[in-house]
Amino acid sequence: MNYSTYDCQRIKKVLSSPKDYWCPIINGQIEDYLRFYMSSKGFYNIKMPLVNDRYTSKRWTIPLNINEEKLELSSSNAMHLGAVSSIYDKVYSLQTVLREEKNYDENHFLEFNVLEAEWQEDDYNNLLSFIENMLIDTISKFNDFLAQNKLHEYFNPINVEFPLRKINYNDLDDCTPKDERGFYDSGIDNKSEEPFFVMFYPPESSWRAKVISKDKAFIFNLVLPHQYGELVECSLRETSSKIMNYKFQNANIKTEMKWYLEALSYNSKTRCGFGLGVGRLCRWLTGSKSLESTEVFPRKL
């Protein structure tokens, strides 16, 4: 199906029911809530690049060939945001990124909006508290929006008990499915009725995270209940230029990442950061069956 035909069908779908009509509007409102929250906490909104040198070998990179240069479209702004954080400290971006998945489903699309943030922090409890408070604020504003627009016929208010439950990665049930890399993916299928944090993933799951031991790092995920998936990935960042230089050298991308190593030299204090999928948050709040409902023109093909 070409996009022209698909987009015509989407317009008809949006007009087909009040819920389909309101979901994209709520998605935009959620973005506004998140931007306001970040600004209120002293974060600067910094625009990140869409096109970069091709320095990864992950399957979800989307290669370009422009003027015979090997380039790629951003699948995450985390590296550039980390470099900027060494200069400005509290920074975030909220913009579209692209990811090439083997299979697109209700939680994974080609094009999606992500909130990414980074700032100076060496206590992971403060990082998790920040994310919890951001979620509390967004849920409150979502519930207010439903009341103001008399939408309770189509959407249910969200009630979540805070603080959220925390489960160590190694304590996840053996029945929890694993992803293709062999890591437990509690976002695939979980029986929880509330969001919860998965604590201390193995170091292999994020090469920028600060390592505690050979099987434990300061890596945490906020998982939504049922089939809505992982909402937030976060960690304390490794800011030692010596350690990151070693990692880049072993990955054979030291030359391409020289700019990042130089940025680390400006400020080597421990930082933290997270990424949050805006569409997935909207899908959970509205109870939508798929990310497709959260956009007027979703790109999943």
Side-chain angles (χ1 to χ4, degrees):
M1 178 188 297
N2 60 47
Y3 274 128
S4 296
T5 302
Y6 175 71
D7 289 345
C8 285
Q9 293 179 352
R10 281 299 303 159
I11 290 176
K12 293 177 181 178
K13 177 69 173 175
V14 168
L15 292 171
S16 66
S17 74
K19 189 165 185 175
D20 290 316
Y21 174 87
W22 280 101
C23 275
I25 295 175
I26 291 172
N27 195 359
Q29 290 292 310
I30 291 170
E31 282 200 15
D32 289 344
Y33 301 156
L34 293 172
R35 291 183 191 278
F36 179 82
Y37 184 84
M38 299 303 292
S39 176
S40 72
K41 299 302 179 182
F43 283 75
Y44 295 116
N45 180 9
I46 305 292
K47 186 72 173 180
M48 293 292 107
L50 182 64
V51 178
N52 301 291
D53 287 334
R54 191 176 181 189
Y55 54 79
T56 67
S57 58
K58 296 179 181 178
R59 64 172 174 78
W60 51 73
T61 58
I62 302 173
L64 301 175
N65 191 350
I66 301 175
N67 297 327
E68 299 183 353
E69 294 288 337
K70 291 183 178 179
L71 304 172
E72 68 184 22
L73 298 177
S74 295
S75 59
S76 170
N77 295 315
M79 299 298 288
H80 284 82
L81 207 63
V84 171
S85 179
S86 67
I87 304 170
Y88 297 111
D89 186 17
K90 302 172 77 171
V91 294
Y92 82 95
S93 70
L94 202 170
Q95 59 192 71
T96 301
V97 296
L98 298 100
R99 179 164 295 175
E100 183 183 17
E101 299 283 352
K102 288 183 177 179
N103 297 295
Y104 297 105
D105 56 29
E106 65 275 5
N107 269 334
H108 301 88
F109 278 14
L110 168 67
E111 181 181 299
F112 58 100
N113 288 353
V114 60
L115 166 64
E116 292 183 291
E118 190 145 339
W119 68 101
Q120 187 173 305
E121 179 59 70
D122 59 6
D123 187 337
Y124 72 86
N125 289 301
N126 291 336
L127 166 62
L128 301 184
S129 293
F130 181 93
I131 293 170
E132 278 194 329
N133 290 330
M134 180 177 61
L135 190 58
I136 290 170
D137 185 75
T138 304
I139 290 173
S140 175
K141 286 186 169 60
F142 168 75
N143 289 340
D144 289 345
F145 185 84
L146 297 187
Q148 291 166 5
N149 291 277
K150 301 179 181 179
L151 298 178
H152 290 150
E153 181 180 352
Y154 314 112
F155 304 101
N156 295 319
I158 298 294
N159 296 297
V160 174
E161 185 175 341
F162 290 92
L164 300 180
R165 186 164 55 108
K166 297 178 175 64
I167 304 175
N168 285 334
Y169 176 85
N170 290 331
D171 292 334
L172 290 173
D173 295 336
D174 291 338
C175 61
T176 301
K178 293 185 177 183
D179 63 18
E180 60 185 26
R181 296 178 298 169
F183 296 120
Y184 285 120
D185 190 346
S186 51
I188 295 176
D189 184 18
N190 69 79
K191 309 303 181 185
S192 176
E193 297 296 325
E194 301 281 336
F196 61 94
F197 282 109
V198 178
M199 309 287 288
F200 303 113
Y201 276 74
E204 295 82 7
S205 57
S206 174
W207 69 338
R208 291 188 63 217
K210 213 170 185 62
V211 174
I212 302 171
S213 64
K214 65 178 182 180
D215 60 353
K216 189 176 181 181
F218 289 108
I219 306 170
F220 319 97
N221 281 356
L222 173 57
V223 180
L224 295 173
H226 309 304
Q227 296 292 325
Y228 291 103
E230 295 171 347
L231 176 64
V232 177
E233 295 180 357
C234 58
S235 69
L236 296 186
R237 309 302 200 197
E238 178 57 70
T239 52
S240 165
S241 57
K242 182 178 180 180
I243 293 176
M244 293 308 296
N245 180 70
Y246 175 78
K247 290 184 177 183
F248 292 149
Q249 191 167 355
N250 279 275
N252 200 30
I253 57 172
K254 181 179 176 180
T255 300
E256 292 85 345
M257 297 307 299
K258 181 180 179 181
W259 62 272
Y260 183 79
L261 293 172
E262 185 172 327
L264 290 182
S265 69
Y266 302 145
N267 184 350
S268 61
K269 293 182 179 179
T270 299
R271 292 191 295 276
C272 69
F274 69 86
L276 177 150
V278 179
R280 192 171 295 185
L281 176 56
C282 178
R283 184 189 168 220
W284 171 58
L285 292 176
T286 59
S288 299
K289 293 182 179 180
S290 170
L291 284 177
E292 187 172 20
S293 299
T294 68
E295 300 280 353
V296 177
F297 300 115
R299 294 310 192 228
K300 64 173 185 175
L301 303 179

